[in-house]
């Protein structure tokens, strides 16, 4: 009997151990994905050096998402549960890795809504950079992949993956909903800052802030949600104070004019009327087709217009050649190495405080600012490609304005289709020519493929005869490519190697300097051709970067001998920790007809180019309906950065600290400063967030007709 008792007791203990093992496996499977997402989010935020104060928000949302994923791997067969869990774990881990790579290379996070744009771009152009980035980040990549690797290797032994009652899976889903509700409660706590978790939760922009405050998982989930259920305008209707920023279109008290001007001729009466069009915005605000159009009309009606000035019509009837320079920085200009660039930036209009801040989608975002005079939407759909998909009326582009004046309007890009330019740029008003679309006489290899990158000087040679002898005025646009990263292996360097190898810089910086020399050669070729054809004196040359060489900021530090911040902060575009002078750049606005330079000290940026040119060319435009302002007017200068920091004629506002630093010579009382900053923050938000409403509602078409 004793033997049998021992036998029964052993069976009972084994049974309890078996029950405990099953319970452990069940709980482990329920908590598998909440634990995985918590791990990935924490590693991600620590690696990206974001503010950990928001950890409760993204950990709770991660738990909700994790329970949902766990429920998907509970009710199937043992094999089905195992495969589901392992595939989901690997995919999610890889997703976090991909976002880090994208942020490093392109300075932006990308959601599912970006897949269409990514599929239409030539990722092979970035192959060297992608490979080098992956190799450099291999240790942290392995850290991200470690849990999924362990799951794939030991998951069967530890978790079993036995089928569980589907009702239990439903209970886990209920837990997901409960934690989601808790997360919604967390975001409505009294968080501080210009953008809070509750605000970001209702936005389809500001991916960086969403990732920091809500978590990468939630940003991606919201992006999917907003693809199905578009967000509504959350900007409010408070336009008070906007008309006080530049009272009567003049500088505020204490601000000196930042445009050097010769003494005016006392005889002529200068027209200083507002640059506006005969549009009844108040009526549209009352009876517009929808709430967004009404909001835009109301907003624009409260914006102070800029005024005509002594430069209005200075270049009326001139030809215009506009170049967007890929990855260019004015820090690469040298009197000896780049004499043409030096000449054009010192003998025309001289802009001492011109900035090219990075905004969403790098080159496409830079083109959006240069060509539309609008800040790009900080999220998907990307603004400029969307204008092509929607056929949006782009009424104020130079091609449209000058096309209405009878100009020939041509555009060139020496690459295959990217960022939907085959649709967007014809929609901007250009007779658009890119490789495979009317611009095929480019540098090819023996297989008939484009050599990468194309030389800017060759592009000028291959296209200039299309317009140089035109009997009508012409406007030509070039999107150059010689300055494209990576600079460690760029074919355009070869003609300049002897010169740049003598420079006291790293090879990458030497190569970057060579790409600027290629831009210099291209501009010299253009000027020589215009001169030989007798067109130079009646032509305005405009050149502005799309963005700085953000992937090789170390090159700018070598060229300038100054530090712009830690490499990590610059790599991830953490604007709260960088020196904003990294965005300082060169804007060329030059004509051989100018007898002396005009120096401009006010802060200005890419969105200001279009209204400035519109005024110089004597075109009728409405200065209220663009984000930029005529730089040569007496309006206040303003530069807006993607983080919603801003620099104006009166000072600099750092959103990360909430501090405003008045500019030198500007005196403001505490009350004046508080009022000014509050109004400017509101205006900056409207400028950044209104672009999507303009494009998606075809606002210009509503106002001006097709």
């Amino acid at each position: 009997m004793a033997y049998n008792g021992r036998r029964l007791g052993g069976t009972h203990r084994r049974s309890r151990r078996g029950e405990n093992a099953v319970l452990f496996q069940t709980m482990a499977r329920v908590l598998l994905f909440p634990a995985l997402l918590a791990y990935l989010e924490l590693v991600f935020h620590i690696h990206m050096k974001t503010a950990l104060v928001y950890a409760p928000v993204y950990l709770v949302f991660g738990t909700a998402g994790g329970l949902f994923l766990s429920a998907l791997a509970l009710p199937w067969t043992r094999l089905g549960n195992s495969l589901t869990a392992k595939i989901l774990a690997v995919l999610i881990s890889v997703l976090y890795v991909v976002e880090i790579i994208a942020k490093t290379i392109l300075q932006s996070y990308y959601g599912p809504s970006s897949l269409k744009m990514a599929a239409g771009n030539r990722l092979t152009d970035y192959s060297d950079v992608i490979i080098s980035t992956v190799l450099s980040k291999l240790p942290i990549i392995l850290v991200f992949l470690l849990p999924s690797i362990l799951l794939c290797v030991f998951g069967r032994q530890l978790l079993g993956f036995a089928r569980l009652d589907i009702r239990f899976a439903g209970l886990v889903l209920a837990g997901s909903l409960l934690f989601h509700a808790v997360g919604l409660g967390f975001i409505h706590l009294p968080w501080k800052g210009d953008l809070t978790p509750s605000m970001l939760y209702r936005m389809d922009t500001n991916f960086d802030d969403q990732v920091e405050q809500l978590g990468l998982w939630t940003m991606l989930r919201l992006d999917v949600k907003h693809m199905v259920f578009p967000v509504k305008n959350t900007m409010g209707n408070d336009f008070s104070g906007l008309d006080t920023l530049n009272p009567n279109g003049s500088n505020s008290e204490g601000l000196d004019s930042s445009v050097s001007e010769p003494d005016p001729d006392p005889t002529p009466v200068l027209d200083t009327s507002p640059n506006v069009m005969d549009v009844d915005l108040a009526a549209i605000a009352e009876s517009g087709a929808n709430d967004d159009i009404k909001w835009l009309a109301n907003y624009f009606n409260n914006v102070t217009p800029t005024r005509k000035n002594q430069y209005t019509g200075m270049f009326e009837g001139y030809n215009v050649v506009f170049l967007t320079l890929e990855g260019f920085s004015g820090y690469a200009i040298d009197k000896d190495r780049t004499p043409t660039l030096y000449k054009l930036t010192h003998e025309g209009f001289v802009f001492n405080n011109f900035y090219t801040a990075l905004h969403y989608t790098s080159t496409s975002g830079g083109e959006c600012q240069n060509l539309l005079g609008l800040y790009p939407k900080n999220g998907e759909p990307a603004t400029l490609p969307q204008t092509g998909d929607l056929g949006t009326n782009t009424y104020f582009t130079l091609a449209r304005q000058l096309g209405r004046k009878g100009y020939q309007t041509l555009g060139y890009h020496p690459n295959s289709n990217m960022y939907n330019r085959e649709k967007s740029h014809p929609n901007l008003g250009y007779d658009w020519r890119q490789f495979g679309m009317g611009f095929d006489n480019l540098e090819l290899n023996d297989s008939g493929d484009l050599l990468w990158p194309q030389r800017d000087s060759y592009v000028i040679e291959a296209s200039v005869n299309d317009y140089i002898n035109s009997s009508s005025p012409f406007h030509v646009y070039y999107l150059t490519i010689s300055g494209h990263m990576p600079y460690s292996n760029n074919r355009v360097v070869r003609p300049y190697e002897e010169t740049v190898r003598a420079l006291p810089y790293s090879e990458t910086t030497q190569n970057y300097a060579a790409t600027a020399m290629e831009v210099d050669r291209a501009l010299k070729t253009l000027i020589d051709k215009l001169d030989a054809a007798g067109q130079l004196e009646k032509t305005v040359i405009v050149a502005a970067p799309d963005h700085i060489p953000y992937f090789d900021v170390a090159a700018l530090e070598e060229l300038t001998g100054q530090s712009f911040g830690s490499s990590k902060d610059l790599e991830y575009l953490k604007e709260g920790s960088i020196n904003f002078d990294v965005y300082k750049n060169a804007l060329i606005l030059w004509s051989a007809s100018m007898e002396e330079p005009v120096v401009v000290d006010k802060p200005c940026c890419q969105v200001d180019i279009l209204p400035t040119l519109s005024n110089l060319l004597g075109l009728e435009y409405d200065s209220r309906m663009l984000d930029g302002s005529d730089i040569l007017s007496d309006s206040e200068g303003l530069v807006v950065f993607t983080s919603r920091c801003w620099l104006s004629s009166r000072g600099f506002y750092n959103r990360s600290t909430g501090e405003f630093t008045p500019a030198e010579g500007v005196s403001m009382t505490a009350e004046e400063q508080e009022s000014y900053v509050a109004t400017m923050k509101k205006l900056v938000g409207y400028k950044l967030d209104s672009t999507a409403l303009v494009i998606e509602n075809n606002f210009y078409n509503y106002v001006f007709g097709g």
Side-chain angles (χ1 to χ4, degrees):
M1 293 294 294
Y3 173 81
N4 289 337
R6 287 195 298 271
R7 183 177 179 183
L8 289 172
T11 301
H12 180 67
R13 285 192 295 272
R14 285 196 298 272
S15 175
R16 290 192 62 182
R17 284 198 298 269
E19 290 175 358
N20 289 337
V22 170
L23 179 61
F24 170 80
Q25 289 180 340
T26 300
M27 294 307 299
R29 288 171 60 189
V30 169
L31 298 176
L32 171 63
F33 284 101
L36 177 62
L37 283 177
Y39 173 85
L40 294 174
E41 287 284 353
L42 287 173
V43 172
F44 183 90
H45 283 78
I46 291 171
H47 178 70
M48 304 301 285
K49 296 183 179 178
T50 64
L52 295 179
V53 67
Y54 299 105
V57 176
Y58 53 73
L59 289 179
V60 170
F61 277 133
T63 300
L67 289 173
F68 174 81
L69 294 173
S70 290
L72 298 180
L74 293 175
W76 320 114
T77 64
R78 187 181 298 272
L79 179 61
N81 289 331
S82 176
L83 288 175
T84 300
K86 292 173 182 177
I87 291 172
L88 286 175
V90 171
L91 287 177
I92 292 168
S93 301
V94 169
L95 191 60
Y96 276 74
V97 171
V98 168
E99 290 292 345
I100 285 183
I101 301 301
K103 182 63 172 171
T104 302
I105 297 175
L106 300 172
Q107 268 57 50
S108 297
Y109 297 113
Y110 284 83
S113 60
S114 308
L115 292 178
K116 178 182 176 182
M117 181 178 68
N121 287 348
R122 291 164 51 92
L123 294 180
T124 53
D125 293 349
Y126 298 88
S127 58
D128 289 348
V129 176
I130 293 173
I131 293 171
S132 65
T133 303
V134 170
L135 291 176
S136 69
K137 293 191 173 296
L138 204 51
I140 191 64
I141 290 174
L142 292 175
V143 171
F144 275 101
L145 296 180
L146 180 61
S148 58
I149 292 173
L150 293 175
L151 178 65
C152 291
V153 175
F154 301 109
R156 183 67 177 267
Q157 297 93 308
L158 294 175
L159 304 180
F161 297 112
R163 182 199 297 269
L164 295 173
D165 194 313
I166 194 169
R167 290 173 295 183
F168 183 75
L171 187 63
V172 174
L173 285 176
S176 173
L177 293 175
L178 177 62
F179 274 94
H180 181 72
V182 173
L184 293 177
F186 270 49
I187 67 173
H188 287 94
L189 293 175
W191 300 96
K192 296 180 180 180
D194 297 342
L195 289 177
T196 63
S198 62
M199 296 168 63
L200 292 165
Y201 196 84
R202 294 176 287 117
M203 300 171 69
D204 64 350
T205 58
N206 299 86
F207 283 174
D208 282 16
D209 290 293
Q210 284 185 333
V211 168
E212 179 172 42
Q213 298 186 27
L214 305 176
L216 178 62
W217 171 261
T218 303
M219 182 277 280
L220 296 171
R221 177 177 61 79
L222 290 175
D223 190 48
V224 173
K225 172 188 173 182
H226 295 149
M227 292 170 67
V228 181
F229 304 104
V231 299
K232 295 183 179 180
N233 179 4
T234 59
M235 288 182 279
N237 294 286
D238 181 10
F239 305 112
S240 60
L242 299 186
D243 57 349
T244 66
L245 292 174
N246 293 302
N248 302 318
S250 62
N251 290 313
S252 299
E253 184 177 353
L255 284 179
D256 295 326
S257 173
S258 56
V259 181
S260 66
E261 302 175 354
D263 293 333
D265 187 331
T267 305
V269 177
L270 187 65
D271 180 5
T272 58
S273 60
N275 256 318
V276 298
M277 300 176 69
D278 186 16
V279 175
D280 193 344
L281 289 172
I284 297 174
E286 288 292 328
S287 59
N290 59 48
D291 289 341
D292 287 342
I293 288 176
K294 292 178 182 178
W295 187 94
L296 287 168
N298 202 1
Y299 162 50
F300 292 139
N301 197 40
N302 281 277
V303 172
T304 303
T306 56
R307 294 181 177 273
K308 297 175 183 176
N309 48 67
Q310 71 180 89
Y311 301 103
T312 302
M314 177 178 177
F315 296 138
E316 186 170 356
Y318 278 45
N319 306 311
V320 182
V321 181
F322 192 137
L323 303 93
T324 291
L325 306 177
E326 170 65 42
F328 184 79
S329 172
Y331 290 133
I333 296 176
D334 180 82
K335 188 174 183 179
D336 297 319
R337 292 194 304 272
T338 57
T340 304
L341 282 166
Y342 189 87
K343 170 187 174 71
L344 299 185
T345 53
H346 286 75
E347 295 184 5
F349 287 94
V350 181
F351 302 98
N352 288 326
N353 288 289
F354 176 73
Y355 289 78
T356 53
L358 274 168
H359 286 271
Y360 192 66
T361 65
S362 57
T363 294
S364 183
E367 278 196 288
C368 176
Q369 296 171 80
N370 289 351
L371 302 179
L372 290 178
L374 300 173
Y375 290 106
K377 179 181 179 180
N378 190 6
E380 290 293 329
T383 299
L384 205 55
Q386 191 185 27
T387 63
D389 285 334
L390 299 179
T392 304
N393 188 327
T394 56
Y395 192 83
F396 290 120
T397 65
L398 274 185
R400 290 295 179 197
Q401 291 191 78
L402 295 175
R404 292 192 290 270
K405 294 282 188 179
Y407 276 59
Q408 181 184 15
T409 55
L410 299 172
Y412 299 91
H413 182 45
N415 199 6
S416 301
N417 188 52
M418 290 185 69
Y419 289 114
N420 198 35
R421 292 189 184 99
E422 65 180 0
K423 292 182 180 179
S424 62
H425 285 52
N427 189 62
L428 297 176
Y430 291 108
D431 177 358
W432 184 245
R433 304 175 184 192
Q434 61 187 25
F435 187 63
M437 192 174 170
F439 195 26
D440 298 328
N441 54 325
L442 295 167
E443 298 174 284
L444 309 176
N445 61 22
D446 294 338
S447 301
D449 297 323
L450 277 175
L451 292 174
W452 174 261
Q454 294 286 296
R455 292 177 296 135
D456 296 340
S457 57
Y458 184 90
V459 170
I460 299 294
E461 292 275 7
S463 59
V464 70
N465 289 333
D466 294 346
Y467 57 85
I468 198 75
N469 294 310
S470 174
S471 58
S472 61
F474 54 81
H475 164 44
V476 181
Y477 172 67
Y478 288 100
L479 174 58
T480 74
I481 206 167
S482 286
H484 202 286
M485 65 177 180
Y487 307 112
S488 57
N489 182 24
N490 190 314
R491 63 181 288 268
V492 305
V493 173
R494 293 168 198 156
Y496 312 104
E497 276 190 305
E498 184 178 349
T499 299
V500 299
R501 291 294 175 257
L503 299 175
Y505 307 132
S506 67
E507 186 171 311
T508 297
T509 302
Q510 292 172 353
N511 290 352
Y512 181 69
T515 66
M517 295 175 70
E518 174 61 23
V519 171
D520 192 83
R521 178 178 290 185
L523 287 168
K524 184 178 188 308
T525 300
L526 174 65
I527 289 172
D528 289 346
K529 295 285 187 181
L530 289 167
D531 195 19
Q535 298 274 20
L536 186 60
E537 289 289 326
K538 288 289 288 182
T539 298
V540 180
I541 294 177
V542 186
D546 54 352
H547 54 72
I548 63 170
Y550 54 80
F551 195 71
D552 284 288
V553 172
L556 300 185
E557 293 187 323
E558 279 197 86
L559 289 169
T560 61
Q562 62 178 303
S563 173
F564 296 118
S566 77
S567 58
K568 284 290 184 185
D569 289 336
L570 288 164
E571 193 173 90
Y572 298 137
L573 196 60
K574 291 175 65 65
E575 290 192 338
S577 306
I578 67 174
N579 180 347
F580 283 82
D581 278 354
V582 71
Y583 296 129
K584 257 194 160 180
N585 220 315
L587 168 62
I588 291 172
L589 206 172
W590 177 90
S591 174
S593 64
M594 296 180 66
E595 296 180 357
E596 58 184 17
V598 176
V599 179
V600 184
D601 289 322
K602 75 163 66 170
C604 54
C605 59
Q606 289 164 274
V607 293
D608 298 325
I609 298 171
L610 179 58
T612 302
L613 285 174
S614 297
N615 182 68
L616 282 166
L617 293 163
L619 301 171
E620 184 185 24
Y621 78 105
D622 198 310
S623 59
R624 299 169 296 178
M625 299 187 200
L626 298 171
D627 286 338
S629 299
D630 174 13
I631 306 171
L632 304 173
S633 71
D634 55 7
S635 68
E636 184 173 352
L638 176 64
V639 180
V640 178
F641 303 95
T642 189
S643 60
R644 301 195 179 218
C645 298
W646 45 266
L647 172 68
S648 75
S649 297
R650 295 190 229 186
F652 174 72
Y653 175 73
N654 189 328
R655 196 201 108 196
S656 64
T657 63
E659 296 178 352
F660 176 76
T661 305
E664 185 177 353
V666 174
S667 177
M668 304 172 74
T669 65
E671 293 77 11
E672 290 172 336
Q673 180 172 307
E674 182 179 0
S675 174
Y676 174 71
V677 170
T679 303
M680 285 297 297
K681 285 162 60 175
K682 180 167 53 181
L683 176 64
V684 165
Y686 290 163
K687 285 180 179 291
L688 290 175
D689 296 336
S690 62
T691 295
L693 300 185
V694 170
I695 301 304
E696 292 166 10
N697 291 278
N698 207 359
F699 180 76
Y700 297 146
N701 195 70
Y702 186 86
V703 174
F704 302 110

